Amino acid sequence: MRLRSTALLSTLAVTAIALAGCSGEPAPESSPSASAAGDLCGAAVGSGAASEAVTVEGEPGEASTATFEKPLEITELQSTVVAEGEGEPIEAGQLIEYAMSAYDATTGEELGVIGYEEGQLLPQQITPESVFAQILGCATVGTRVVSTFPASQGQDGSEVPGQVYVFDLTGVTPSAAWGDPQEPVGGEPTVELADDGEPTITLPDAEAPSETQVSELKVGDGDTVESGDQVLVQYTGVKWSDGSVFDSSWVNGAPTAFVTNQVVPGFTKALEGQTVGSQVLVTMPPADGYGSSEGHELQDETLTFVVDILATQHPAPAQ
C-alpha cells in the first residue's frame, strides 16, 4: 500500500513529536550558522539493537525493502548507517533532499514510500535541533540510514505503534536559483544579485504597468510547477510607488513554502508553468495583488517581486 505524501508526512510528524519528547535536551536559543557541521554530528543519535536488526535490500537512491523479525522491540530512537554516500557532508542550515520508506514495527507492513520521484517532497532545512539532524547527523550525500522510532501517543490520545524508516539523503538544494541567465527585457525593473543570491531591485522611471508582467531572469532545469503545487521559494518584493522593500524571505532568514493557488493572482501567474531552478521577475497591478483586500496596506500598490523557485511538490493524487 502506498500512502499519499500528506499521510506519510503526518506519520513522520508524529514520530518527530515523540522524538522531541525523548531527547531530553532543550532546543538551542540561537539559530545555527551554516558552517556548523559539527553541531549536526553531535546531534545524531546512536545505533542500537533495533536499528541494527533491520535488513535493507535495494540500492540507495531507489525505493528499498526492509525486513526484520516481528514485532521489533524499540525502546528508544536509534539510527544506523547502512550505506555511506560519496557526496559532501551536510551542514546546518542547508536544504536537504531526501526519500524514505516507512514500516510498522509490530506487523512489518509497509506504510508508504515517498521521495523517489520528482515533485513528491519539498527539501527540509536541517538544524541541530531538528528530527532530521538526530536521524542523519552530518551524513554525506548519498547516505542511507535505518531509523527506529518507539511507540508514542498521538495528538488524539491514540497509541502510535513503533515505526521503522529507511531514509536516503539524496542531495542538497541550493538556497538561490541556479538556472541559466536570460537576457533582461527592456523597460522592466533591473535586478542585481549579491554573492548569496539576494536580489536588489531597481524600478524604471516609468508609469506602473496596467497588466501583470512576468519574465524569466534564469531558467531552471527542474520539474515544472503545476496548479495547486506547494512550492519552496526565496523572494523579495518592492512597492512601485517608492521602490522600498516591503517583504523578503532573505531578510526573514529562510525560504518559504506555499500553495500556488492560495496566494494573490499575480504570484499564481508568475509561478505556474515555470521550472524549478528558475528566477522570475513579476510586476503586478493591484488587481492581481491586494486590490480586493479592503483596508490592506498594499491594496493600492503595484508590486514587483523577484522569486527564486527552489522546489515544487505536486498535489497528491486522489485515492
Side-chain angles (χ1 to χ4, degrees):
M1 173 182 175
R2 302 219 168 187
L3 301 185
R4 301 184 188 186
S5 60
T6 51
L8 188 54
L9 287 174
S10 297
T11 302
L12 179 57
V14 170
T15 57
I17 293 169
L19 175 59
C22 293
S23 66
E25 297 292 335
E29 294 183 1
S30 59
S31 299
S33 67
S35 62
D39 293 340
L40 292 185
C41 294
V45 299
S47 181
S51 58
E52 293 171 6
V54 179
T55 299
V56 182
E57 297 181 358
E59 293 296 319
E62 301 176 359
S64 62
T65 301
T67 56
F68 46 86
E69 290 189 9
K70 306 177 286 290
L72 181 63
E73 183 178 354
I74 305 174
T75 58
E76 61 181 354
L77 177 73
Q78 297 174 356
S79 189
T80 298
V81 175
V82 294
E84 188 170 342
E86 297 181 355
E88 294 294 320
I90 53 176
E91 298 180 349
Q94 287 183 324
L95 298 167
I96 62 166
E97 302 164 12
Y98 65 101
M100 60 186 179
S101 306
Y103 300 84
D104 187 305
T106 301
T107 65
E109 176 190 4
E110 181 188 277
L111 299 174
V113 178
I114 194 169
Y116 293 100
E117 298 177 12
E118 276 194 311
Q120 289 188 321
L121 286 176
L122 292 182
Q124 298 292 319
Q125 189 173 47
I126 190 166
T127 62
E129 66 269 25
S130 68
V131 63
F132 285 104
Q134 297 181 70
I135 294 168
L136 297 168
C138 54
T140 53
V141 172
T143 292
R144 166 170 282 178
V145 302
V146 170
S147 295
T148 51
F149 289 79
S152 61
Q153 190 174 42
Q155 291 180 321
D156 61 357
S158 61
E159 182 174 342
V160 178
Q163 293 157 354
V164 174
Y165 286 87
V166 180
F167 286 95
D168 284 345
L169 176 58
T170 56
V172 173
T173 293
S175 59
W178 58 88
D180 293 331
Q182 305 295 298
E183 287 294 326
V185 177
E188 291 196 351
T190 59
V191 179
E192 293 185 7
L193 302 179
D195 290 342
D196 63 356
E198 181 177 359
T200 297
I201 304 169
T202 302
L203 300 175
D205 184 13
E207 292 292 325
S210 59
E211 296 183 357
T212 294
Q213 297 178 345
V214 179
S215 60
E216 293 79 31
L217 303 179
K218 297 180 181 180
V219 174
D221 57 359
D223 205 7
T224 299
V225 177
E226 301 174 0
S227 178
D229 277 9
Q230 186 177 30
V231 291
L232 183 69
V233 304
Q234 295 269 35
Y235 69 91
T236 293
V238 300
K239 295 186 290 186
W240 193 281
S241 60
D242 60 10
S244 64
V245 175
F246 66 88
D247 195 11
S248 175
S249 64
W250 296 93
V251 174
N252 296 337
T256 188
F258 54 80
V259 179
T260 64
N261 55 14
Q262 295 180 10
V263 289
V264 295
F267 246 118
T268 302
K269 293 177 180 180
L271 295 174
E272 291 182 357
Q274 303 287 351
T275 51
V276 170
S278 296
Q279 183 178 72
V280 180
L281 174 68
V282 55
T283 297
M284 61 187 76
D288 275 349
Y290 294 93
S292 62
S293 300
E294 190 65 35
H296 196 286
E297 62 180 350
L298 300 174
Q299 182 179 8
D300 299 323
E301 291 280 357
T302 294
L303 307 174
T304 294
F305 289 89
V306 172
V307 187
D308 291 17
I309 305 173
L310 306 182
T312 194
Q313 179 178 313
H314 302 313
Q319 293 187 347

